[in-house]
Amino acid sequence: MAEEHKHEESAAESIIEKIAEKIRGYDDGSSSSSDSDDEKKASLSSLKAKIYRLFGRENPVHNVLGGGKPADIVLWRNKKVSGGVLGAATAAWVLFELLEYHLLSLVCHSSILALAVLFLWSNASTFIHKTPPRIPEVHIPEEHVLQLASGLRTEINRGFAALRDIASGRDLKKFLMVIAGLWVLSILGSCCNFVTLFYIATVLLFTIPVLYEKYEDKVDAFGEKAMKEIKKQYEVLDEKVLSKIMSKIPRGALSKKKD
């Protein structure tokens, strides 16, 4: 009996030791897997840091466009609304540009038609014993107007600050970029009127972001090559032309005035 009891105790101890070894092995495996997960995350983050994105973009295109419903409309997440907005812009361009219809005439004629239909319907409903039309109460909420005004004010102040920074002569590269952009806009303005220019901007807004989101890897790779080439050309221009021009500008008088 004593031998059987000892045999049972040794068997129980061996089982406990096996279970402990399995638990230790599991802990070691989990720690190694956690270490490997950390290494994978670190490698992914380093790879993301090495990938070139246009204009130094770090967030997805949806977040860059502000997120929410406006970004969904621009990126065609809601195809019915996006198609409706683009269709309305196309109809407006056809009316105002191709048919040479005027905005004030369109607003007045639409108002006349709507008021005439509602007026006749309201008076005819008493004779034909039907319910009159339900005309909804339209009012503009103050909160949305204040949010829009606040957003516009912030963006306008940023624009003024950027223009002031450029006019101060601190960044020659930014100055040349703005001058080139304004020159391109002046050429476009001379080729087409404001309605056509606004319609072209709307079409580009509804096509370029969604195409870029779809082919962003290829576009970013091409953009990286283009930016490298532009930097090389700018360095050559800076060395041969801009540095000579800046060296000829007298700075003594300006420094004395500042002192």
Side-chain angles (χ1 to χ4, degrees):
M1 294 291 291
E3 292 179 357
E4 291 179 357
H5 183 68
K6 288 180 181 179
H7 181 70
E8 290 177 356
E9 287 181 353
S10 61
E13 288 176 356
S14 63
I15 292 171
I16 292 171
E17 288 176 358
K18 290 180 180 179
I19 293 172
E21 288 176 358
K22 288 183 178 181
I23 292 172
R24 288 173 186 171
Y26 177 76
D27 291 336
D28 294 337
S30 62
S31 62
S32 62
S33 64
S34 63
D35 294 337
S36 63
D37 291 338
D38 294 335
E39 290 176 358
K40 288 179 181 179
K41 289 179 181 178
S43 62
L44 286 174
S45 62
S46 63
L47 285 173
K48 287 181 180 179
K50 292 179 181 178
I51 295 174
Y52 176 83
R53 296 299 181 189
L54 285 178
F55 310 109
R57 178 178 62 86
E58 296 180 356
N59 298 321
V61 180
H62 189 270
N63 293 339
V64 172
L65 294 174
K69 292 182 179 179
D72 292 339
I73 294 172
V74 172
L75 295 175
W76 292 80
R77 302 287 172 84
N78 192 340
K79 294 183 179 180
K80 291 182 179 180
V81 177
S82 301
V85 173
L86 188 59
T90 304
W93 180 74
V94 170
L95 282 173
F96 298 138
E97 184 63 22
L98 297 182
L99 301 180
E100 296 182 355
Y101 210 67
H102 298 286
L103 178 61
L104 184 60
S105 301
L106 178 64
V107 172
C108 292
H109 293 166
S110 301
S111 300
I112 289 171
L113 180 62
L115 289 174
V117 170
L118 291 174
F119 181 80
L120 293 175
W121 189 359
S122 299
N123 285 282
S125 60
T126 57
F127 296 101
I128 59 178
H129 302 289
K130 289 188 176 181
T131 58
R134 295 180 180 179
I135 303 173
E137 294 182 1
V138 180
H139 64 280
I140 299 175
E142 183 179 0
E143 181 180 358
H144 297 300
V145 174
L146 293 176
Q147 289 178 356
L148 179 61
S150 178
L152 289 174
R153 182 184 65 83
T154 303
E155 295 301 326
I156 290 171
N157 288 335
R158 287 180 181 175
F160 284 147
L163 292 176
R164 183 176 180 275
D165 188 32
I166 292 168
S168 62
R170 298 174 183 174
D171 193 346
L172 181 61
K173 184 178 179 180
K174 190 182 291 184
F175 169 75
L176 294 175
M177 289 175 63
V178 172
I179 293 298
L182 292 175
W183 181 66
V184 171
L185 285 177
S186 67
I187 294 175
L188 291 175
S190 62
C191 295
C192 55
N193 56 15
F194 179 75
V195 176
T196 303
L197 188 62
F198 180 78
Y199 177 65
I200 292 172
T202 304
V203 173
L204 293 177
L205 180 64
F206 277 85
T207 52
I208 291 178
V210 66
L211 290 175
Y212 173 67
E213 187 183 34
K214 189 175 181 179
Y215 305 103
E216 58 179 343
D217 294 332
K218 296 180 181 179
V219 174
D220 288 337
F222 178 78
E224 184 178 8
K225 295 179 181 178
M227 289 301 297
K228 287 181 180 178
E229 187 64 27
I230 290 171
K231 286 180 180 179
K232 288 180 181 178
Q233 297 299 326
Y234 176 76
E235 288 176 358
V236 173
L237 179 66
D238 187 19
E239 183 179 357
K240 293 183 178 180
V241 180
L242 299 178
S243 59
K244 294 180 181 179
I245 294 174
M246 295 299 292
S247 63
K248 292 180 180 179
I249 296 175
R251 296 180 179 274
L254 294 175
S255 61
K256 289 179 182 178
K257 287 181 181 180
K258 290 180 180 179
D259 295 336

